[in-house]
Amino acid sequence: MSTSIGLFRKELAGLRPYIPGKPIEEVQKEYGISEVIKLASNENQLGPSPKAVEAIRRELENINIYPDPGCMELRNKLAEKHGLEMENIVVGNGGEQLLQIIAQTFINAGDEVITSDTTFTILGIWVEYLGGKNVTVPLNGYKQDFKGYIENINENTKLIYVCNPNNPLGNIMTKDEVNYLVENVPDNVVLIFDEAYYDFARVNPEYPETIDILKRRPNTIILRTFSKIAGIAGLRIGYALTSKDIAIEMSKVKGTFNVNRLAQAAALGALEDEEHISKTVELNYRSLLIMEKSFDELGLEYVKSNSNFIFVNIRKDSESVSKELLKRGIVVKTGTIWGWNSWLRVSTGTVEQTEKFISALKEVLKQ
């Protein structure tokens, strides 16, 4: 007997879930191969922060005890790092949960969020689930169109979402571009800056420091994560920097024990590991340079990236190319989920992994 569709929340009928990168284990099983290089989920190929790993080891004997529901020690450290107060910070079970919390905090039926038609889609999914409307603005020259955002603001607009660097393109919105947006958005609209790739982007002198915006504009939320730079994506931990008023409301819906003990310990360790951060950023740009040079040689168009991935036009059906790469043990992400059918998003890796990807790509494109 089939389940009646009337049982479910009506918004689920039209909801399209986010499609994550294919797990290594699944590729190994499907193609019968032992060596797989996963360049699909923007993970840290240098591995986790050694200081995070050591902190986890120390904390293991305490996992019979519930975690600190307020993440007090971590929030104090983050406040010190960013020149804020602990009350300005909400810690979540990864950036995805924080976006869910934001939607649950602000969205009523009929409320609108403005974002790009090509960007990280989790917030839009939750807005639509809650009966809100996701207003998407087309890109302008591969960049988020802030003029278009401003033109779409109306009395129903609650949130504006800016992924910076933008995922899947990898490029940044500059200081001047962000300031233009801030100056033209009403104070009662909440600006969200998703900066999951902040530590890679900040090497670009044109990348904005949004904490300065937060200090003068309370209706601002900045999202950052330990998944990428610290290499602890498997533990799921990120944080929001915002006004005290917004943080209070977000905390009401975050769940009591939403961040586990090991994740909190690992994040504290990672905050002290400047060496790992530096090595990760250095490796990232080495990998990007190898891919950029190779794409130039192949005559392939790509978007200049300040993140730990690159978006490239292979001029062929990306699903077909992806399948051929999978047979060779290389996992990348196709642009089809964003409607970019000849594009691939490729995460950075070690030099060896990057060179193997390039070699495999050349082989596939010759077919």
Side-chain angles (χ1 to χ4, degrees):
M1 183 178 67
S2 61
T3 305
S4 171
I5 194 68
L7 288 174
F8 306 119
R9 188 180 177 98
K10 66 181 187 300
E11 287 83 5
L12 288 173
L15 215 58
R16 292 187 300 169
Y18 182 77
I19 302 172
K22 206 163 189 175
I24 290 174
E25 296 80 5
E26 185 179 337
V27 177
Q28 290 172 324
K29 183 178 180 180
E30 184 174 349
Y31 293 95
I33 52 181
S34 56
E35 183 184 358
V36 174
I37 298 171
K38 186 184 177 190
L39 302 177
S41 299
N42 308 336
E43 294 150 333
N44 190 330
Q45 300 295 346
L46 190 63
S49 155
K51 291 187 177 181
V53 173
E54 182 55 37
I56 291 169
R57 290 197 180 103
R58 291 194 301 267
E59 192 62 29
L60 279 172
E61 62 184 32
N62 297 321
I63 60 172
N64 61 309
I65 302 170
Y66 283 111
D68 172 10
C71 301
M72 303 293 281
E73 185 178 0
L74 179 57
R75 286 166 62 215
N76 270 315
K77 290 287 187 182
L78 288 168
E80 182 181 332
K81 175 182 175 69
H82 295 301
L84 299 169
E85 296 182 41
M86 184 181 70
E87 292 79 11
N88 293 111
I89 300 169
V90 180
V91 182
N93 186 34
E96 183 175 343
Q97 193 208 21
L98 287 164
L99 289 167
Q100 175 186 346
I101 291 169
I102 290 169
Q104 290 173 318
T105 301
F106 291 101
I107 298 300
N108 299 303
D111 287 341
E112 296 183 2
V113 57
I114 298 173
T115 185
S116 170
D117 69 348
T118 306
T119 194
F120 192 56
T121 58
I122 293 295
L123 179 63
I125 290 170
W126 278 106
V127 166
E128 291 177 359
Y129 172 76
L130 293 167
K133 182 180 178 181
N134 191 34
V135 179
T136 58
V137 178
L139 295 176
N140 182 5
Y142 299 138
K143 302 199 76 174
Q144 296 166 87
D145 183 4
F146 287 169
K147 183 179 179 182
Y149 284 22
I150 294 161
E151 290 172 350
N152 276 277
I153 294 172
N154 60 40
E155 66 275 7
N156 297 318
T157 305
K158 219 41 158 335
L159 310 171
I160 291 179
Y161 175 78
V162 179
C163 189
N164 196 24
N166 194 15
N167 181 6
L169 285 91
N171 54 355
I172 68 164
M173 300 303 291
T174 66
K175 294 176 182 177
D176 288 344
E177 290 164 336
V178 168
N179 284 335
Y180 166 78
L181 180 68
V182 172
E183 290 166 3
N184 287 279
V185 171
D187 289 340
N188 66 324
V189 174
V190 177
L191 277 173
I192 304 164
F193 295 103
D194 189 339
E195 298 179 348
Y197 305 94
Y198 169 82
D199 291 277
F200 303 107
R202 64 176 179 167
V203 304
N204 187 329
E206 288 303 307
Y207 188 67
E209 183 46 77
T210 49
I211 291 177
D212 294 337
I213 296 171
L214 169 62
K215 288 178 178 178
R216 67 177 188 269
R217 188 185 192 280
N219 281 344
T220 301
I221 303 173
I222 303 162
L223 301 178
R224 294 185 184 168
T225 180
F226 291 94
S227 295
K228 317 300 181 186
I229 197 69
I232 54 174
L235 290 175
R236 311 306 303 124
I237 184 164
Y239 58 98
L241 308 171
T242 188
S243 66
K244 294 178 182 179
D245 288 344
I246 290 177
I248 288 170
E249 299 306 310
M250 286 179 63
S251 295
K252 292 177 182 178
V253 295
K254 73 175 181 60
T256 306
F257 302 112
N258 65 318
V259 182
N260 69 71
R261 294 190 72 91
L262 300 185
Q264 291 186 43
L268 283 164
L271 282 175
E272 306 299 325
D273 204 343
E274 290 294 335
E275 181 181 1
H276 184 263
I277 292 172
S278 297
K279 286 181 177 179
T280 297
V281 173
E282 179 186 1
L283 176 61
N284 179 69
Y285 282 99
R286 286 180 68 192
S287 177
L288 282 176
L289 185 60
I290 292 169
M291 287 194 279
E292 288 174 352
K293 286 184 175 180
S294 299
F295 297 155
D296 286 337
E297 291 170 2
L298 293 167
L300 300 179
E301 178 187 14
Y302 59 90
V303 179
K304 186 70 176 178
S305 177
N306 277 127
S307 54
N308 68 342
F309 56 88
I310 193 167
F311 206 46
V312 57
N313 185 359
I314 52 172
R315 301 197 303 266
K316 292 180 182 289
D317 176 62
S318 61
E319 292 285 352
S320 300
V321 171
S322 175
K323 287 178 181 177
E324 289 300 318
L325 289 172
L326 283 172
K327 294 175 185 177
R328 293 159 175 79
I330 309 289
V331 189
V332 297
K333 194 151 191 173
T334 64
T336 52
I337 65 172
W338 297 282
W340 297 59
N341 297 337
S342 66
W343 292 70
L344 295 175
R345 192 194 70 185
V346 186
S347 305
T348 58
T350 64
V351 170
E352 180 183 12
Q353 288 172 333
T354 306
E355 289 175 344
K356 284 185 177 180
F357 158 69
I358 292 297
S359 177
L361 180 65
K362 288 177 178 178
E363 184 180 311
V364 171
L365 292 180
K366 283 181 181 179
Q367 293 183 347

